[in-house]
Each structure stands twice: as structure tokens, then as C-alpha cells.
């Protein structure tokens, strides 16, 4: 039997896990045990899960469009994007610094036929599973395309939390779906760990109610009667959009109708952006600006090529064949004799050629040609 929905009023009490319950190791483990077993002697499993939940990063999942009008079956039209036409990627990124952990190309309906269930749920689970981020207490923030009650339930089964907006056509309680709210009013409803809210922004007469879902945020209001779930969504949803913005500042794209080139340049730029994020996060004193960093990367990658290019050319001498001989020209053709032929005075042709320089030569001129050929090679 499904659990019922019931209305809750803010502020909800914070979650208070029973850290005194020891569900870990109780006796001294053997001497060859893993270090984590000794760690469980001091901390309970519930406490460790709560520490992981509060210290793990917030992640965001969204779609991005690599702009192109080239001919491909993967071409998508998204009117809300600036480019409108391009190849769509599903992106998993850090919510704060925009570090992209996973990108998956959407191949289109031709190569990805519809399956049972919501596409957004499958995309979120695939991205998190491929990055080995399930069952680790991560908090994922998504938009209305991905968010649903089905996604929240399936993520809770694998120890992952979610926050996102809900589209009006998704399953939800009637109280939330048909909510008629005044300016600044909020309604909360809960089913177990799933919290759904409908909120109408204050001081905006024409604003429509927004619906959000969360399994990580309690029902409480913050400044200006704004729900905490709305503040959390606005703060952590911009990971993918932030990465796209940083990518556009130093755009290295080139005009081309080749779709694979557009995708390759975009991936290379994201790799460079990821490297700068790691550099800036792990540099304590005076980190370089992104411009200086990219200049240093380009200089380092091109240093060996420039050093070889600026060296004087190396003269490669051709080794002479051991057996220099006079042979017939292939195909029965003729060549000008290298010794006695002169196109201005008298042109003389021969059906034989030198096996070393491949120039034509008569038999009577062979000795003179051998001497000149040796001097040329020396």
C-alpha cells in the first residue's frame, strides 16, 4: 500500500539520527583487517553516513548544446538555447565550480528508441552510475525535464538525494498541482522523505506558482518568506550553465560544417577548463588567471614542436644502391639520356635507365654517367 501524502507546516524539525546506535564493529578485528574496520570501532555507521551526506559535493545535471548546422542524424532543435541547432549532451557537473564529471551524447530517437519510464530518470541514473556516485550520499539538483517523484524514489533506494522543479504534467498531489496561491504564499506536502512544495514569489504580481521536489531539504522558510528548497535550487542548479559560460569566455571554436570537428573542439576545451578548475582548487597562493593558465598550457604543448622547427634542417643523404646497373624502363617507355641529350640542341632518348637515379642513359654513355652519379651523391 502506497504511503499517503500529508500537508506539513514550516518549520519542520531537523533530522536527528541516533548516533548512539552502534551498527559497526564491536570487537577488536584481526590484525590483517582493512583500515576502515578499525575506523568503525570509533564511529558508528549512521554517523559516517551523516558526515558523508553533509560533506559531499552538490551536483547538477542538465543538457548542453554544441552549436552546429551540419548534416547529422543527431541534430537537435532547442528553441530555448542561444544556438537553437546542434548536438545535445547530457552533462553531470559540480554545482559550484562547474567541473564536468561526465558527458553523454544524445544520439536521437533513431538510435535511442523510447523505453518504458521517463527519459530523464534513465539519464540521471546512467550518469551517476557511470561515475560511481551512487550510495555515497550525493545531492543532485536537476530541472523539470529530469525531476519526478519516480526519480526521487529510485535515488533514495541507492542512497542519493535530489532537488528539482516539477512540471505541471508530472504526477503529484492535487493540492500542489491545482494550488491557488497569493503572493509569497507556500504549501508543503510530504510523503516519507519526499517533500513537494508550491510557491508563488512575492512582489511579482504576474508570477505563476512554481513546484519543487526535494529529498534533502526540510520544510522551512528563510528571508522574505522564500522556501529553503527554492534557495537551494537557485544556488546549486547552475553548475552546467556556469561551465558553458566559462567555456564561452575563451571560445576556440572554428567555423566548419563538419560535426565531428565541432564536437572534438568542444570536448578539448572542456578538458582544458576542467584542468584549470583543478589547478585553481589546489593552488593556495597566487593562482594564475585563466588567460595566463591557458597561455602556459599552449606554450608547454607547443614547446617541443617549436624547438624542432627552429633547428637547422638536417640533410639526409640518400644511400647508393649496392648494385648500380642499367635496366629497361618500365612499360617500354623512353627517357632523355642524362649524358648526351640536350633539349635545346639535340634531344636523344633511350629505352634504358639508371637503377639509382632513375634517369635515362644509353649503353655507350653508361661509364660517364656512373662517374657523374657518384659525384652527385658524394
Amino acid at each position: 500500500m502506497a504511503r499517503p501524502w500529508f500537508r506539513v507546516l514550516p518549520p519542520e524539525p531537523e533530522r536527528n539520527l541516533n548516533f548512539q546506535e552502534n551498527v559497526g564493529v564491536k570487537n577488536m578485528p584481526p590484525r590483517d583487517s582493512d583500515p576502515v574496520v578499525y575506523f568503525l570501532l570509533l564511529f558508528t555507521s549512521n554517523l559516517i553516513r551523516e558526515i558523508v551526506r553533509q560533506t559531499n559535493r552538490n551536483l547538477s545535471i542538465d543538457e548542453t548544446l554544441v552549436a552546429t548546422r551540419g548534416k547529422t542524424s543527431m541534430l537537435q532543435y532547442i528553441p530555448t538555447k542561444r544556438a537553437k541547432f546542434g548536438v545535445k549532451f547530457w552533462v553531470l557537473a559540480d554545482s559550484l565550480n562547474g567541473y564536468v564529471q561526465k558527458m553523454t551524447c544524445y544520439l536521437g530517437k533513431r538510435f535511442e528508441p523510447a523505453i518504458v519510464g521517463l527519459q530523464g530518470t534513465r539519464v540521471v541514473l546512467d550518469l551517476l552510475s557511470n561515475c560511481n556516485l551512487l550510495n555515497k550520499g550525493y545531492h543532485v539538483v536537476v530541472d523539470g525535464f529530469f525531476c519526478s517523484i519516480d526519480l526521487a524514489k529510485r535515488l533514495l533506494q541507492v542512497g542519493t538525494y535530489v532537488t528539482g522543479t516539477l512540471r505541471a504534467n508530472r504526477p503529484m498531489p492535487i493540492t500542489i498541482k491545482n494550488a491557488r496561491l497569493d503572493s509569497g504564499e507556500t504549501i508543503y506536502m510530504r510523503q516519507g522523505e519526499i517533500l513537494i512544495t508550491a510557491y508563488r514569489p512575492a512582489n511579482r504580481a504576474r508570477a505563476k506558482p512554481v513546484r519543487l521536489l526535494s529529498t534533502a531539504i526540510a520544510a522551512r522558510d528563510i528571508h522574505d518568506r522564500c522556501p529553503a528548497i527554492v534557495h537551494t535550487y537557485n544556488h546549486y542548479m547552475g553548475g552546467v550553465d556556469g561551465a558553458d559560460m566559462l567555456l564561452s569566455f575563451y571560445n576556440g571554436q572554428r567555423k566548419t560544417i563538419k560535426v565531428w570537428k565541432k564536437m572534438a573542439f568542444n570536448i578539448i576545451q572542456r578538458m582544458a577548463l576542467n584542468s584549470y578548475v583543478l589547478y585553481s582548487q589546489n593552488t593556495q597562493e597566487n593562482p594564475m588567471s585563466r588567460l595566463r593558465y591557458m597561455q602556459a598550457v599552449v606554450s608547454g604543448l607547443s614547446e617541443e614542436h617549436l624547438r624542432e622547427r627552429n633547428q637547422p634542417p638536417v640533410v639526409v643523404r640518400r644511400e647508393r644502391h649496392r648494385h648500380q646497373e642499367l635496366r629497361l624502363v618500365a612499360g617500354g617507355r623512353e627517357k632523355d639520356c642524362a649524358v648526351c641529350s640536350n633539349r635545346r640542341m639535340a634531344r636523344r632518348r633511350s629505352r634504358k635507365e639508371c637503377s639509382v637515379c632513375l634517369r635515362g642513359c644509353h649503353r655507350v654513355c653508361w661509364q660517364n654517367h656512373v662517374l657523374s652519379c657518384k659525384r652527385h651523391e658524394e
Side-chain angles (χ1 to χ4, degrees):
M1 182 177 179
R3 302 176 65 177
W5 290 91
F6 59 92
R7 187 168 177 177
V8 295
L9 298 176
E12 272 189 321
E14 296 293 337
R15 299 177 59 189
N16 184 19
L17 298 179
N18 183 15
F19 299 134
Q20 302 299 325
E21 179 185 359
N22 191 349
V23 295
V25 180
K26 297 182 179 180
N27 300 321
M28 182 60 67
R31 184 171 296 181
D32 58 347
S33 301
D34 295 332
V36 69
V37 179
Y38 294 96
F39 185 77
L40 291 175
L41 289 171
L42 307 176
F43 293 89
T44 64
S45 299
N46 286 338
L47 177 58
I48 295 175
R49 293 192 187 97
E50 184 65 13
I51 292 174
V52 170
R53 187 183 72 85
Q54 295 188 11
T55 57
N56 272 348
R57 300 189 307 273
N58 295 278
L59 306 174
S60 64
I61 295 178
D62 202 355
E63 61 185 14
T64 187
L65 198 69
V66 178
T68 180
R69 289 180 178 267
K71 294 181 179 180
T72 173
S73 59
M74 299 183 294
L75 192 68
Q76 300 290 315
Y77 171 69
I78 304 179
T80 57
K81 300 293 184 180
R82 181 180 179 182
K84 293 184 175 56
F85 289 94
V87 178
K88 183 165 66 175
F89 282 84
W90 311 117
V91 183
L92 169 64
D94 189 282
S95 295
L96 296 180
N97 54 38
Y99 180 86
V100 175
Q101 298 198 23
K102 183 70 176 179
M103 289 180 60
T104 303
C105 180
Y106 176 58
L107 304 179
K109 295 182 179 180
R110 177 180 176 182
F111 299 101
E112 294 186 13
I115 60 176
V116 179
L118 296 174
Q119 184 186 32
T121 300
R122 178 177 59 84
V123 170
V124 172
L125 292 174
D126 288 346
L127 289 174
L128 294 174
S129 177
N130 293 335
C131 295
N132 194 24
L133 298 178
L134 298 176
N135 294 301
K136 295 183 178 180
Y138 279 94
H139 179 213
V140 184
V141 184
V142 296
D143 63 6
F145 177 82
F146 303 95
C147 189
S148 64
I149 297 178
D150 176 64
L151 174 64
K153 292 180 178 179
R154 297 186 63 175
L155 287 180
L156 284 174
Q157 295 174 358
V158 290
T160 306
Y161 305 93
V162 65
T163 297
T165 57
L166 273 178
R167 290 182 175 179
N169 59 352
R170 295 288 168 84
M172 68 182 73
I174 299 298
T175 305
I176 299 295
K177 189 171 187 176
N178 300 330
R180 297 182 179 274
L181 305 175
D182 296 331
S183 178
E185 186 179 359
T186 308
I187 296 178
Y188 296 97
M189 296 201 71
R190 176 173 289 280
Q191 183 189 67
E193 296 189 49
I194 302 176
L195 177 70
I196 296 182
T197 181
Y199 166 68
R200 185 175 181 181
N203 302 323
R204 295 175 60 185
R206 297 184 179 182
K208 296 181 179 179
V210 294
R211 303 167 184 85
L212 296 98
L213 176 150
S214 179
T215 57
I217 311 300
R220 64 179 186 273
D221 296 339
I222 52 178
H223 57 85
D224 296 334
R225 294 186 297 173
C226 177
I229 184 175
V230 175
H231 175 76
T232 301
Y233 176 82
N234 292 336
H235 186 65
Y236 292 115
M237 182 56 208
V240 178
D241 292 337
D244 291 342
M245 180 185 65
L246 293 175
L247 206 66
S248 65
F249 289 161
Y250 300 99
N251 192 353
Q253 291 284 359
R254 298 294 184 269
K255 290 185 178 181
T256 175
I257 60 174
K258 301 293 184 181
V259 178
W260 67 268
K261 287 186 178 180
K262 284 280 189 177
M263 299 171 64
F265 283 131
N266 185 270
I267 293 174
I268 292 174
Q269 291 180 76
R270 290 193 182 274
M271 293 167 58
L273 178 59
N274 276 359
S275 68
Y276 178 73
V277 171
L278 294 178
Y279 161 77
S280 60
Q281 294 290 323
N282 294 278
T283 303
Q284 299 295 334
E285 298 181 358
N286 299 325
M288 291 186 293
S289 65
R290 188 180 169 201
L291 177 60
R292 293 294 184 89
Y293 177 83
M294 295 304 299
Q295 290 174 344
V297 170
V298 172
S299 298
L301 294 176
S302 59
E303 180 179 1
E304 181 178 358
H305 169 71
L306 294 176
R307 184 172 61 251
E308 294 179 355
R309 190 183 67 175
N310 294 331
Q311 289 180 353
V314 178
V315 178
V316 179
R317 296 185 179 275
R318 185 183 60 179
E319 295 184 359
R320 186 167 59 90
H321 291 272
R322 293 181 180 179
H323 302 288
Q324 187 177 14
E325 59 182 0
L326 194 65
R327 64 186 183 186
L328 292 174
V329 180
R333 295 178 298 175
E334 295 182 346
K335 291 185 176 180
D336 292 348
C337 180
V339 178
C340 64
S341 179
N342 188 341
R343 293 200 174 190
R344 292 184 178 180
M345 302 297 295
R347 184 179 184 183
R348 297 182 176 87
R349 300 174 64 83
S350 172
R351 295 182 180 273
K352 295 184 180 182
E353 64 180 2
C354 175
S355 61
V356 175
C357 64
L358 303 181
R359 300 174 68 184
C361 183
H362 294 109
R363 183 175 296 276
V364 295
C365 303
W366 175 242
Q367 295 298 330
N368 294 332
H369 173 71
V370 170
L371 295 176
S372 62
C373 188
K374 287 181 179 181
R375 287 196 302 266
H376 177 72
E377 289 185 356
E378 293 174 356

